[in-house]
Each structure stands twice: as structure tokens, then as C-alpha cells.
Amino acid sequence: MRLVLSILAALSLVVCGTSAAWPRPTPQQLAYGGEISALIHFDMSTFFHDGDPGCTDRNWNACEAGGGCSSSQVSSFRPTNLNVSAWIQSMKDLGATSAVLTAKHGCGFLLWETKTSLPTGEPYRYHVPPALPVLEQFVDQCRAAGIGYGFYYSLTNNFYLNVAGHYVRPASTLLPGQAAVTQQQYEDLAIAQMRELWTQYGDLTEIWLDGGPGPIGPRVAALLNETRARNAVAFNGGNGVSANAVRWCGTEGGDPQGYPTVWSTACCGWCPDGSGSGCAPNASGATWYPSGVDFTLQLGDHWFYTPGDGIHSLSDLKTVYHKSVGANGHLEIDFAIDRTGGIDPAHAQRYREFGDWIRACYGKPLGTAQLAGGVMSATVTFTGQQTFDRVMLTEDLTQGHTVASYQVSFQSSPGSSWTIFSSGQPIGSKRIDLGRTVRATSVRVTVLSVFLSLTPNVTIAVFQPCA
């Protein structure tokens, strides 16, 4: 019976696309199809307020309500008990496989001791003191834990250098304590600092170019290609900057534009206003450009630690998981390091709860099957009836997208008619279809259409309901 069904499915198969240059992932982009990364926010802003930048003309040389005093002073970065081990433990509890640290955010404050100098010849003073080697500890402990690591370096803003929106502001706006630079000097300094980051700390898994590289895209691309960053995926690294580009999903609310149809291909370079659902791989101009879904644990879209701020419920995180990881996306969840230099206990508990839920819900399927070898339908058959409400599909993306559309159906008893459970497009790195709770003896997945006569390889897993 299964063979007959597979033959019928193949006879009715629709083949889509004729492109000769079919979009395929690089090995780095393929590896990015893993589930979750930690996006770590720790910076001078931690001790003032959330923002890009958290340093402003109101706190640069003065005090602000609820925050610190003089964000211009290195001494204002003052964690009382730097505890990178706690960061790592929460990553493990969550199940994160990689992490990105804000090595330089909008204030211009650096989490490493740079050797770069200002145009005057004076050292670039605005960085952590020797007693707080934040970036080095982060790298060492990620390595020890087997967690991939990388750095966020914002080219958009640098308050210390009076830079906003990629460009140096007029000299008339310069505040005491800010360093005066020309546009060329700023760009040269940024390149020199990124060279330090991308050459001195080993092999990187991911780099972040939040807001894109701006007017120095070609210089950033050249630097990337001559350093270890060439082997990392690059968030906002499209338009030729990186061969391993990742695009922004278009929102920071855990609800990707275009959901649930989210392709790993897109037809835009920077996708500055969000990628939407991307575009189908057979569309004109499509390139492999997977979707990264960034999301804050704190309420109010706050990335840096905000005392007294609430955090998202476990229920919220379950929804985000299904809309990101479960819809062909990669979840990059914020770790807002608190003012002690550790993880707020409430945050640590929520990461642990979230990881425990993922492992409990999706750790042991009721049954699995493989759709491969040119067969366009595969069935999971249970011993007796089983109750399920979700099906997980995982596509081998080595060839790029192969499945254009699919359908999931079930039998309530042997020999009974098949009832449709779900259908859609694409599958991608992972697709989790949630539906009504049903009892069935068999669950079947049928590929309805493929691209370019490519041969799909899809893993099917059926799961029982989980709270």
C-alpha cells in the first residue's frame, strides 16, 4: 500500500523552477540552521539605560535618574561581580549552541583592550580596564563549553567619536570627553578595531553588523575576506559583504514577517526594512539568505538590562519558538547581563524553563520516518492508536530548497480514509505544524511539488501534545 501511494504521489508531482544558478547554502549558512543563539548585551548602556546608544548628551557628563553618572568615564562601567560562567550555564540550560557578544555597541565603549589610537596619537581610551577582561573571558569560556562564539560591532553609532547613523556629526555638537575625528578617520579606526576582533580571538561562528556596514561596505567585505570572519555567518552581511550572509526577519517581536511562509532565500541585498517571507528560490534574483529572528527576553523590546523590567512568560517563549525555529528561522534570544556582571536570577530561571520545555516537548517523538531516494511520500505507522497534535519536518538543505509544497495527513484506523492535518511551504531547516489533537494509527507526509526535479530528503517526526 505504501509503494502504491508513493507512486501516485510521484505521478502527480509538480516541478517548479528552471534556474541554472540554484541558490544553495554555504557550509556556514547550513550550520546556522541550528536552533538558538544567545545575543549578549553588555556595555556602558547597562549602567545607564537601554538604547542605541545608551550614552546621551544627558548622561555623558552628568547623572540621569535611575541610571549612572558620567557615561564618558570608563569607571562608570562597574560590574560588581563579573560572572561569565553564569552566562555559559544559562546558555547550556537554554540549549544555545552559539553566542554573540556586543564587543562594541552604540556608546563606542569596547569590551576589550584595544591597541588602536585616535588621530592625535592618543590611545583609544574608552574600553574595559585590565581588571575586567570581559571579551577574553567570554571567548575562553565559550571554547571550554563547546559553544560557538562571535562579536557584534556596530558601525552605525559611536557616541565617544560623535558618530550617529554611520556619519560623524558636526564639530559644533562635540561634548567634553568626546574625541574629534573626521569621517575618514572614523572609518579607518572602525576597520582597525574590527581587524583586532576578527584576527586575535580564533575562529568565529557569527558576526553582527547591526544596521549594516554603511558607506564602508566594500572595505568591510575586504577585511572580512582576509580574516577569520570569512568563516562566520554575518548578520546583515548581504549585498556582497559576506558569502555567509544572514538576513533580519523584519521584527524584534518574535513574529517574523511573512510567517508561516518563510524561505531561506531572499531577493533583496540589505533587506533594510525586513525580509518579509523572503522569496521562493526560483524567483528572479533569489540568493541563499536565511532568516535570523532576534528577540528580547525583557518586555518592552529592551535589549540592555533594565532594572525592574518584566520578562516574557514561558508561554510567550513557546509561541516565539514555533514562529522562529518551527518556521525555518534561527532564534537569537537576548541575554541582558545585569549590573553585577551576571544573569538576573529570574532570567536564568526562564532560560532554564524554556530549555527544559524544548527538551521535554521535542526530545522523544512518537514515531519517525524518512522521505528520500526519489520517493515523494512517507508514512509513520504506530502500533495501535496514538494521540498527536504536532508534526516536525526537517529538510536536508544541502541542495538548497527542494520541496516547494507538502501535505500532512493521517488515518484514524488502518484502512480508513486519509484526513488532511496540515499543508504548506516551505519546509526548510525545520517546520513544526501544530494542529488539533487527534488519534491516529498512521501519519503521512506527501511532497506535492519540488524545485528543478531535485530529490527531497525530509525527516518526519510526530509528537504527542505538550503543555
Side-chain angles (χ1 to χ4, degrees):
M1 182 61 179
R2 293 186 194 176
L3 179 61
V4 172
L5 290 171
S6 297
I7 293 173
L8 289 173
L11 290 174
S12 61
L13 186 70
V14 176
V15 177
C16 305
T18 58
S19 173
W22 190 247
R24 290 179 172 86
T26 65
Q28 292 83 0
Q29 289 172 320
L30 193 62
Y32 185 75
E35 296 207 343
I36 301 175
S37 297
L39 185 53
I40 301 169
H41 282 71
F42 192 41
D43 175 72
M44 189 63 77
S45 299
T46 302
F47 301 93
F48 289 86
H49 66 262
D50 181 65
D52 186 11
C55 302
T56 68
D57 56 2
R58 297 183 304 277
N59 64 35
W60 188 245
N61 292 304
C63 300
E64 67 177 16
C69 296
S70 299
S71 60
S72 61
Q73 299 302 310
V74 169
S75 59
S76 295
F77 182 82
R78 53 185 192 285
T80 55
N81 183 29
L82 181 64
N83 189 356
V84 178
S85 296
W87 309 3
I88 300 296
Q89 186 59 55
S90 282
M91 291 180 215
K92 291 179 177 179
D93 292 343
L94 173 61
T97 55
S98 62
V100 174
L101 174 66
T102 52
K104 190 209 79 73
H105 204 264
C107 284
F109 187 77
L110 309 182
L111 294 186
W112 79 102
E113 288 188 79
T114 181
K115 302 301 183 185
T116 57
S117 298
L118 298 172
T120 60
E122 298 174 89
Y124 187 103
R125 66 163 185 86
Y126 201 49
H127 60 72
V128 290
L132 289 171
V134 176
L135 189 141
E136 288 81 0
Q137 288 193 25
F138 166 73
V139 169
D140 290 346
Q141 296 206 33
C142 281
R143 283 176 180 161
I147 293 173
Y149 62 88
F151 307 124
Y152 172 122
Y153 186 100
S154 171
L155 288 159
T156 309
N157 300 314
N158 185 320
F159 198 80
Y160 173 52
L161 299 182
N162 201 26
V163 174
H166 294 286
Y167 291 95
V168 176
R169 300 176 67 219
S172 60
T173 64
L174 201 68
L175 298 173
Q178 288 183 315
V181 294
T182 66
Q183 183 67 25
Q184 185 64 52
Q185 289 167 342
Y186 162 63
E187 294 173 1
D188 291 347
L189 191 52
I191 290 291
Q193 290 177 353
M194 285 190 293
R195 182 180 295 278
E196 287 183 338
L197 280 177
W198 296 352
T199 59
Q200 297 179 8
Y201 298 101
D203 293 323
L204 308 179
T205 299
E206 181 176 0
I207 59 172
W208 258 67
L209 300 170
D210 200 7
I216 58 171
R219 293 186 68 185
V220 174
L223 176 65
L224 188 152
N225 288 326
E226 67 184 59
T227 63
R228 284 172 160 170
R230 66 180 175 273
N231 295 320
V233 294
F235 199 99
N236 278 342
N239 218 29
V241 169
S242 171
N244 310 314
V246 170
R247 75 183 196 261
W248 180 45
C249 72
T251 75
E252 295 181 348
D255 190 7
Q257 293 177 355
Y259 171 83
T261 304
V262 180
W263 298 96
S264 291
T265 44
C267 296
C268 50
W270 294 125
C271 304
D273 298 318
S275 61
S277 60
C279 64
N282 58 344
S284 176
T287 60
W288 197 266
Y289 203 1
S291 178
V293 183
D294 53 337
F295 181 72
T296 63
L297 181 67
Q298 296 178 113
L299 299 174
D301 198 29
H302 290 160
W303 292 95
F304 286 96
Y305 185 72
T306 305
D309 209 17
I311 59 175
H312 282 280
S313 66
L314 180 58
S315 177
D316 290 343
L317 297 180
K318 293 176 185 178
T319 298
V320 169
Y321 180 84
H322 289 131
K323 289 188 173 184
S324 56
V325 174
N328 190 37
H330 182 102
L331 177 59
E332 304 215 12
I333 190 167
D334 181 37
F335 273 46
I337 306 307
D338 70 17
R339 292 176 178 177
T340 71
I343 302 288
D344 183 291
H347 295 203
Q349 180 179 345
R350 190 56 37 84
Y351 293 130
R352 184 168 53 253
E353 291 171 349
F354 188 23
D356 286 347
W357 172 80
I358 294 170
R359 289 181 285 272
C361 189
Y362 292 109
K364 187 176 180 181
L366 294 169
T368 63
Q370 198 72 26
L371 191 157
V375 175
M376 297 299 163
S377 180
T379 303
V380 177
T381 301
F382 307 123
T383 301
Q385 277 193 328
Q386 294 287 345
T387 301
F388 81 97
D389 71 344
R390 59 197 66 206
V391 176
M392 178 189 293
L393 307 177
T394 305
E395 182 178 4
D396 180 354
L397 294 174
T398 306
Q399 306 176 81
H401 281 297
T402 58
V403 177
S405 61
Y406 69 91
Q407 183 180 90
V408 180
S409 53
F410 66 91
Q411 274 185 323
S412 297
S413 59
S416 65
S417 60
W418 290 91
T419 301
I420 294 174
F421 177 77
S422 64
S423 61
Q425 61 174 0
I427 294 177
S429 58
K430 185 168 289 184
R431 177 73 176 238
I432 300 175
D433 283 352
L434 303 175
R436 62 191 178 92
T437 301
V438 297
R439 288 184 61 77
T441 55
S442 300
V443 176
R444 182 180 71 191
V445 174
T446 303
V447 173
L448 301 178
S449 56
V450 298
F451 292 110
L452 298 179
S453 299
L454 295 170
T455 303
N457 186 344
V458 178
T459 301
I460 304 161
V462 182
F463 294 88
Q464 64 186 358
C466 60

